[in-house]
Amino acid sequence: AYDAVQNAYVDVLSSRNDIVEIRCNVPLEDMDYTSDFLCIKTSGEMLVRECLYRKLITKPMTVKLLEVSRQYWLRRGITDWGLIINEE
């Protein structure tokens, strides 16, 4: 994990009984981007989580990168995609 939000959230993921694998900072194929977490559930389904600081959520580049991630995973059939935002 690269930052405090990721560090805190990996603890949450680790405590879940339905998660069997956690991958951090997963490269998006043919792109210069990564997703913060790609997890495999006991059911075989996958979930993706992007972590960010609240102060960055409205920045145009942040919005663009989040949409790139969401669309990338959607094209691969992963619909359990979400944001983890730090508390203030």
Side-chain angles (χ1 to χ4, degrees):
Y2 287 138
D3 64 32
V5 180
Q6 285 181 337
N7 282 331
Y9 193 62
V10 77
D11 291 339
V12 171
L13 290 170
S14 296
S15 69
R16 288 181 52 170
N17 293 330
D18 65 329
I19 302 288
V20 294
E21 184 177 339
I22 301 169
R23 298 179 194 168
C24 186
N25 302 313
V26 178
L28 306 185
E29 292 177 26
D30 300 323
M31 304 177 122
D32 292 330
Y33 306 124
T34 62
S35 281
D36 294 326
F37 292 103
L38 171 64
C39 301
I40 301 173
K41 299 179 187 181
T42 54
S43 66
E45 292 179 73
M46 296 183 188
L47 69 84
V48 174
R49 294 296 181 266
E50 302 292 3
C51 301
L52 68 147
Y53 290 93
R54 185 170 303 281
K55 66 183 179 183
L56 299 176
I57 199 166
T58 59
K59 302 275 184 189
M61 183 54 82
T62 301
V63 172
K64 176 187 174 197
L65 294 175
L66 292 172
E67 184 59 16
V68 166
S69 170
R70 191 179 72 77
Q71 289 296 324
Y72 176 88
W73 294 111
L74 192 58
R75 285 191 304 275
R76 284 153 180 78
I78 299 173
T79 58
D80 190 351
W81 181 96
L83 300 176
I84 304 303
I85 303 167
N86 73 307
E87 293 181 352
E88 292 183 317

